[in-house]
Amino acid sequence: MLNLTYLSHSTFILDDGNHRIIIDPFISGNPTCPVKVEDVDAGYIVLTHAHGDHLGDSFELAKRHDALIIAVNELATYASSKDLRAHNMHIGGAYTFPFGRLKFTIAHHGSSSPEGLYMGEPAGVVITMGGKTIYHTGDTGLFLDMQLIGQRDKIDCMIAPIGDNFTMGIDDAVKAAEFVKPELAIPMHYNTFPVIETDPQRFVAGVENLNLDIRARVLDYGETITL
Ligand code: NI
Ligand code: MN
């Protein structure tokens, strides 16, 4: 059993009843996030890259809850330099944590700290927890190697950006679902700012039109589903 909560933008919480992970916690400063930083508690913080709308409140949360930050080397080292606990990984590598297995994948994007420091490669992440496997693509354009990600792990739930401009738009995200073939596809990274406004139901319709038995659904801000 795995509970998946969408806070908004790219921020998701995974909870199997024993462990809680938050991915890309962009809470304060996020006009669409329904909770406050004080309302969030997690033992692990997984970061796809260091842009402000993903690094977000990570450091404050890590400090408050003594949470472990999991990220690629450059970003993990940056977190360590701020006296936070960090687990240093890199793309293609998997590690088994108390909550389950986590593997970083490629993503086509950028990654720099708020001061403009180089933070290594941006990433996607495949997490197996509570008997389910989630692929959160991070911020990325479409790439053919998504097929390989879907072949290496049977993906129960794929979370993909649809907002365009900085990442895939809807048409490319539908193609991404076709490449990965998850059980369920969930859109993210849209409607947070005017430049990424779009209608997520067009993504749902596009995925259903593939006729590949892939379910798609839009999650409300703060909504939890059980996978
Ligand atoms: Ni970004
Ligand atoms: Mn972003």
Side-chain angles (χ1 to χ4, degrees):
M1 187 280 293
L2 184 65
N3 283 327
L4 175 77
T5 301
Y6 180 47
L7 289 186
S8 80
H9 203 59
S10 300
T11 310
F12 288 81
I13 295 171
L14 307 181
D15 191 328
D16 68 356
N18 292 312
H19 301 283
R20 191 175 307 128
I21 296 176
I22 189 162
I23 304 173
D24 288 354
F26 178 42
I27 299 167
S28 62
N30 174 352
T32 56
C33 185
V35 301
K36 293 191 164 54
V37 181
E38 305 84 69
D39 302 329
V40 174
D41 184 357
Y44 301 89
I45 299 167
V46 175
L47 297 176
T48 62
H49 64 296
H51 287 158
D53 57 322
H54 298 261
L55 185 64
D57 304 283
S58 299
F59 290 0
E60 189 188 334
L61 281 173
K63 210 167 286 169
R64 198 186 282 252
H65 302 293
D66 195 31
L68 181 68
I69 293 174
I70 303 171
V72 300
N73 170 62
E74 293 82 355
L75 177 50
T77 302
Y78 177 72
S80 298
S81 79
K82 308 282 185 191
D83 287 329
L84 299 169
R85 295 197 304 123
H87 184 102
N88 182 333
M89 297 181 68
H90 232 302
I91 288 162
Y95 185 79
T96 301
F97 293 89
F99 60 81
R101 176 178 177 269
L102 182 150
K103 183 180 189 181
F104 280 114
T105 68
I106 60 169
H108 291 306
H109 194 66
S111 182
S112 55
S113 73
E115 308 93 313
L117 299 171
Y118 169 70
M119 285 290 121
E121 294 298 305
V125 64
V126 176
I127 300 171
T128 301
M129 181 176 177
K132 299 290 178 182
T133 299
I134 311 294
Y135 171 34
H136 182 300
T137 69
D139 279 3
T140 186
L142 180 65
F143 54 92
L144 189 60
D145 280 359
M146 284 179 174
Q147 287 181 343
L148 190 56
I149 294 167
Q151 286 168 13
R152 298 301 293 145
D153 289 287
K154 185 192 155 299
I155 305 297
D156 294 295
C157 176
M158 176 184 188
I159 303 168
I162 63 164
D164 226 334
N165 193 78
F166 303 111
T167 67
M168 296 187 283
I170 286 177
D171 292 346
D172 282 354
V174 168
K175 195 73 187 170
E178 183 182 335
F179 285 162
V180 174
K181 295 188 177 61
E183 287 276 322
L184 173 67
I186 291 173
M188 66 171 171
H189 212 275
Y190 64 92
N191 290 356
T192 324
F193 314 111
V195 75
I196 57 172
E197 270 173 18
T198 194
D199 176 6
Q201 296 299 344
R202 286 211 301 115
F203 172 73
V204 172
V207 171
E208 281 168 0
N209 283 341
L210 292 171
N211 287 319
L212 289 174
D213 266 340
I214 304 169
R215 288 183 300 125
R217 65 173 288 185
V218 175
L219 299 190
D220 293 331
Y221 302 137
E223 182 176 357
T224 299
I225 59 170
T226 302
L227 299 172

